[in-house]
Amino acid sequence: MDYIPRHPQPFTLAEATRLEVPVITEEIARLQNSLNYLQRTQDELKEHLTGSSEEDAVLEEAYTDNSKVIASQKERITILKMALSNKGMPYSNHYDASPNLPGAVRSAGTSLNTTVTATSLQTDDGGIDL
């Protein structure tokens, strides 16, 4: 099956399918994290634009540009999820960014037993939140 994206993408579905599963899931998590930040920025821009009586061309352009980036990144996530499916690995929300840890991501290729992850999840009492 061939997929024709609506937005310019850095890779095709066929190229994404050739990537290793951990690379795909880490890229999905990275893009989701980026989307969270972009959406917060959009909310702030919209609040400022609707709350101001003056037109601000720079902010309006930023809002429009961010909208395009958001659409492109969402499409890229779709392509990556399709690539996982093509590899026989249906995508699960289990690999999405964790709602309890702002900015933290967990992917199929990341074990909670790794030093990096364990260190980033340590609580004040020296324990690890799972």
Side-chain angles (χ1 to χ4, degrees):
M1 178 172 119
D2 209 16
Y3 177 79
I4 301 171
R6 293 183 185 157
H7 306 278
Q9 298 297 337
F11 51 79
T12 65
L13 174 57
E15 291 169 331
T17 302
R18 288 192 295 266
L19 297 171
E20 298 290 327
V21 170
V23 172
I24 295 171
T25 57
E26 287 173 15
E27 181 63 6
I28 290 170
R30 186 193 69 76
L31 288 165
Q32 289 172 331
N33 190 45
S34 174
L35 283 171
N36 288 335
Y37 284 105
L38 282 167
Q39 190 56 57
R40 278 189 262 164
T41 301
Q42 286 297 82
D43 294 343
E44 291 173 13
L45 286 170
K46 187 173 185 176
E47 183 179 319
H48 183 75
L49 289 169
T50 57
S52 177
S53 59
E54 296 180 26
E55 287 190 27
D56 189 331
V58 173
L59 292 183
E60 289 176 12
E61 183 179 357
Y63 186 85
T64 300
D65 289 347
N66 279 356
S67 295
K68 292 175 186 174
V69 171
I70 288 169
S72 178
Q73 287 188 356
K74 285 182 177 181
E75 184 177 63
R76 195 169 310 148
I77 290 170
T78 298
I79 293 169
L80 291 166
K81 287 179 179 181
M82 291 170 67
L84 283 176
S85 180
N86 287 349
K87 290 173 127 353
M89 303 213 39
Y91 187 81
S92 166
N93 288 340
H94 170 78
Y95 303 118
D96 288 349
S98 173
N100 298 328
L101 300 170
V105 294
R106 288 172 44 188
S107 69
T110 305
S111 167
L112 287 177
N113 294 327
T114 62
T115 304
V116 174
T117 304
T119 303
S120 66
L121 296 176
Q122 285 183 346
T123 60
D124 292 348
D125 63 356
I128 297 175
D129 290 334
L130 297 177

